[in-house]
């Protein structure tokens, strides 16, 4: 079981000016009424087959133990409405129904009573309804993320059956991918990968950039960084990025630390979870926003919040300018089980120092720029002195000198080595194929970025086709939170029932294809 942060003593700080500014950029959600396109049967392996034309929905009467599965054609995020009636003899008992929503069809085959994961089972998208009187129209109050919906009759009575006369989803998002042109001159496979990426990004762009519309439905800063990059290349919704930046800067811990995530309901609130890499990425997000928007005023206003993350993070540097690794050190990097994060954290600190140096140049802060450059050079020297293994010619991490993809990838992205050495390193780690691999699209994105940075464009595109294309081949309509090609049902939560199959950090093929194809 993973660690969970609970800090009841944490003191929060609110910069109301920033929060008020964020409120000015609240989006008006676009709504579409989506109706099912097919009635299907879901096999135990998660594959679907046509059962009946959707026009036959009103002719299918459900008695105890019967079910109907509606296919809405693509991944939807929104509010479900249905109209039901009874047929047969008069209704002499309540109709007792279970509604089960699935982002992928396989979710409908899973028995939630067998769930044994370590995060709440309440994330499983099931509803149980007692309907005393039919006919009736019902709109469920909760928002769902789904393509497939199973309506199962737990019980009726011997006298009557239930018919679903109409069903629809009021789909919501702050952008509309139908307004974007398709990528020209690409293969059908690349085009499909791009469309799945866009749908992933669109369905996560709600009142804020959510990490996943099924779970966690919150604003996570690691996801935001990649969503923003994909957004700049596609929807170009600068206001939503600005809104999220001001929320993070306006809702912090008492010492100014930016949280890993924010809650948006019932009030805007920073969580008590803080991750070394996620806090630092606020610096990168601000730099990327400036390059996308040219808005110097935003950089001037948020610079102190960004620099505060560096001030807090540098406290972990030892006498060699290396990030200290200990039991209480929280840094995400990837969900790979047993991954040591020290080398990655060192590289991410250098990576964000690079972004901060660029921002000081933009702001004309010459003295601070010089000081940060000196600090970066010392951190690079520390990485080479303490984390480079001369014999294996790779970076190692932690007291057990662990070798992983993540350590090499982040050192390359941070510019710790000259380009020719970085290119040799990325190819060396590919040949070594270390035990500590990569299991999230988040980490795999950075691997692809490292390949591109090293001039390995063909390998990057081939890998992207292998990894994200693998999800497409599995039937993905949106890209997943976690995908291990060697074990597609792997879950960091102890059960795939709560996995998110539309997850923000997996949307980056749309960005990479436009920036590097």
């Amino acid at each position: 079981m993973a660690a969970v942060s609970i800090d009841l003593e944490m003191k929060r700080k609110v910069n109301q000016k920033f929060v008020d500014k964020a409120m000015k950029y609240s989006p008006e959600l676009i709504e579409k009424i989506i109706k099912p396109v097919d009635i299907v049967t879901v096999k135990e392996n998660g594959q679907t087959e046509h059962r009946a034309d959707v026009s036959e929905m009103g002719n299918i009467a459900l008695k105890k133990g019967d079910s109907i599965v509606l296919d809405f054609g693509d991944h939807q995020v929104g509010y479900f409405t249905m109209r039901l009636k009874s047929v047969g003899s008069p209704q002499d008992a309540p109709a007792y129904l279970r509604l089960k929503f699935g982002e992928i069809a396989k979710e409908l085959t899973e028995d939630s009573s067998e769930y044994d994961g370590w995060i709440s089972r309440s994330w499983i998208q099931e509803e149980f309804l007692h309907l005393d009187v039919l006919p009736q129209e019902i709109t469920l109050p909760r928002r769902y993320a789904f393509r497939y919906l199973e309506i199962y009759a737990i019980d009726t009575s011997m006298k009557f059956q239930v018919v679903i006369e109409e069903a629809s989803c009021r789909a919501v998002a702050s952008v509309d991918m139908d307004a974007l042109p398709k990528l020209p001159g690409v293969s059908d496979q690349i085009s499909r990968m791009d469309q799945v990426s866009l749908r992933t990004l669109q369905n996560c762009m709600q009142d804020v950039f959510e990490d996943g519309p099924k779970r966690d439905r919150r604003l996570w800063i690691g996801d935001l960084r990649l969503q923003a990059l994909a957004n700049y290349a596609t929807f170009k919704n600068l206001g939503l990025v600005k809104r999220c930046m001001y929320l993070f800067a306006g809702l912090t811990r008492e010492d100014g630390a930016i949280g890993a995530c924010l809650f948006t309901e019932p009030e805007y609130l920073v969580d008590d979870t803080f991750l070394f890499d996620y806090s630092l990425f606020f610096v990168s997000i601000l730099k990327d926003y400036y390059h996308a928007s040219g808005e110097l005023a935003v950089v001037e206003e948020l610079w102190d919040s960004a620099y505060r993350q560096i001030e807090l993070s540098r406290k972990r540097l030892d006498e060699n300018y290396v990030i200290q690794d200990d039991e209480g050190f929280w840094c995400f990097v990837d969900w790979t089980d047993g991954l040591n994060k020290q080398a990655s954290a060192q590289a991410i600190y250098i990576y964000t120092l690079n972004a901060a140096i660029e921002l000081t140049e933009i702001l004309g802060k010459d003295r601070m720029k010089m000081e940060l450059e000196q600090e970066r050079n010392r951190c690079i020297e520390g990485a080479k002195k303490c984390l480079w293994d001369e014999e294996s010619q790779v970076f190692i991490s932690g007291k057990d000198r662990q070798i992983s993809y993540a350590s090499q990838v982040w050192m390359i992205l941070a510019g710790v080595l000259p380009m020719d050495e970085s290119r040799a390193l990325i190819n060396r780690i590919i040949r070594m194929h270390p035990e500590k691999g990569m299991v999230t699209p988040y980490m795999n994105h950075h691997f692809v970025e490292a390949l591109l940075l090293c001039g390995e464009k063909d390998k990057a595109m081939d890998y992207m086709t292998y990894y994200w294309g693998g999800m497409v081949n599995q039937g993905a309509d949106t890209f997943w939170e976690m995908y291990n090609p060697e074990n597609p049902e792997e879950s960091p939560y102890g059960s795939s029932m709560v996995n998110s199959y539309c997850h923000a950090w997996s949307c980056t093929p749309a960005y990479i294809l436009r920036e590097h194809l």
Side-chain angles (χ1 to χ4, degrees), residues 296 358-369:
L296 180 60
E358 193 172 334
L359 288 172
T360 56
E361 189 170 349
I362 292 166
L363 293 168
K365 296 180 178 291
D366 297 336
R367 181 183 179 86
M368 184 174 285
K369 178 175 181 283

Side-chain angles (χ1 to χ4, degrees), residues 86-349:
S86 66
V87 295
S89 293
Q91 181 185 2
D92 64 334
Y96 184 25
L97 305 180
R98 183 194 69 197
L99 277 61
K100 192 166 188 176
F101 297 83
E103 293 187 297
I104 62 172
K106 191 177 185 304
E107 290 180 274
L108 303 186
T109 70
E110 297 169 332
D111 184 350
S112 61
S113 68
E114 297 177 356
Y115 175 71
D116 60 354
W118 62 268
I119 65 172
S120 176
R121 66 183 295 166
S122 62
W123 288 115
I124 298 172
Q125 298 185 110
E126 280 185 321
E127 295 290 348
F128 295 85
L129 303 177
H130 287 83
L131 306 178
D132 293 295
V133 178
L134 296 173
Q136 185 176 163
E137 182 173 286
I138 294 174
T139 297
L140 298 183
R142 189 168 188 262
R143 196 194 71 189
Y144 292 92
F146 69 103
R147 172 176 172 172
Y148 300 97
L149 166 61
E150 180 190 45
I151 302 171
Y152 174 75
I154 299 174
D155 213 343
T156 53
S157 82
M158 292 185 287
K159 289 176 66 69
F160 76 98
Q161 300 85 47
V162 174
V163 170
I164 314 300
E165 293 187 284
E166 287 189 6
S168 64
C169 172
R170 177 168 58 87
V172 294
S174 62
V175 292
D176 183 1
M177 63 179 285
D178 292 339
L180 295 179
K182 291 191 176 183
L183 279 178
V186 297
S187 67
D188 290 345
Q189 184 182 35
I190 295 296
S191 179
R192 177 59 184 159
M193 193 187 308
D194 182 56
Q195 290 297 298
V196 173
S197 300
L198 289 173
R199 190 146 198 105
T200 305
L201 178 59
Q202 170 195 277
N203 285 0
C204 291
M205 290 177 70
Q206 299 291 332
D207 183 59
V208 294
F209 283 93
E210 294 184 6
D211 62 328
K214 169 188 170 183
R215 206 219 79 245
D216 297 319
R217 301 162 63 137
R218 295 202 291 274
L219 173 58
W220 283 84
I221 200 164
D223 300 78
L224 171 62
R225 176 173 152 266
L226 299 188
Q227 286 172 293
L229 290 172
N231 169 59
Y232 300 146
T234 56
F235 298 110
K236 306 185 190 306
N237 188 332
L238 299 180
L240 195 62
V241 182
K242 191 187 302 187
R243 169 172 164 75
C244 295
M245 289 194 301
Y246 276 101
L247 283 173
F248 271 118
L251 301 163
T252 65
R253 198 169 61 194
E254 187 179 40
D255 61 358
I258 285 177
C261 71
L262 300 178
F263 296 96
T264 60
E265 293 178 313
E267 61 180 320
Y268 292 91
L269 185 75
V270 62
D271 190 20
D272 53 4
T273 299
F274 292 83
L275 299 169
F276 179 86
D277 46 350
Y278 275 29
S279 295
L280 281 169
F281 280 140
F282 186 80
V283 184
S284 304
I285 292 168
L286 184 58
K287 184 263 295 182
D288 293 338
Y289 181 80
Y290 175 77
H291 286 302
S293 69
E295 293 184 41
L296 180 60
V298 174
V299 177
E300 291 174 335
E301 195 162 34
L302 296 181
W303 164 252
D304 287 344
S305 298
Y307 183 65
R308 182 58 179 154
Q309 309 318 303
I310 291 174
E311 289 181 313
L312 293 169
S313 298
R314 68 162 57 107
K315 295 177 181 180
R316 293 204 66 87
L317 294 172
D318 65 14
E319 66 277 7
N320 292 310
Y321 281 81
V322 173
I323 297 296
Q324 299 174 68
D325 187 32
D326 57 49
E327 288 292 326
F329 181 46
W330 276 40
C331 184
F332 175 67
V333 182
D334 194 26
W335 274 120
T336 299
D337 189 39
L339 178 67
N340 184 276
K341 318 290 179 67
Q342 183 187 25
S344 297
Q346 177 80 9
I348 289 168
Y349 186 65

Side-chain angles (χ1 to χ4, degrees), residues 276-277 321-325 329 331 333 339-351 379 382-384 386-389 394-399 401-414 416:
F276 179 86
D277 46 350
Y321 281 81
V322 173
I323 297 296
Q324 299 174 68
D325 187 32
F329 181 46
C331 184
V333 182
L339 178 67
N340 184 276
K341 318 290 179 67
Q342 183 187 25
S344 297
Q346 177 80 9
I348 289 168
Y349 186 65
I350 297 168
Y351 178 88
C379 289
K384 291 178 177 178
C386 301
L387 300 175
W388 177 258
D389 184 77
V394 296
F395 288 97
I396 50 90
S397 187
K399 59 182 175 56
R401 304 176 64 82
Q402 185 186 91
I403 297 173
S404 69
Y405 280 99
S407 297
Q408 322 314 314
V409 164
W410 276 110
M411 289 292 181
I412 290 168
L413 293 176
V416 171

Side-chain angles (χ1 to χ4, degrees), residues 9-24:
E9 303 301 318
M10 188 188 100
K11 291 182 171 59
R12 294 173 169 85
K13 182 172 72 173
V14 176
N15 182 323
Q16 197 59 48
K17 176 185 174 183
F18 286 176
V19 174
D20 290 344
K21 184 162 285 191
M23 294 305 107
K24 294 179 181 178

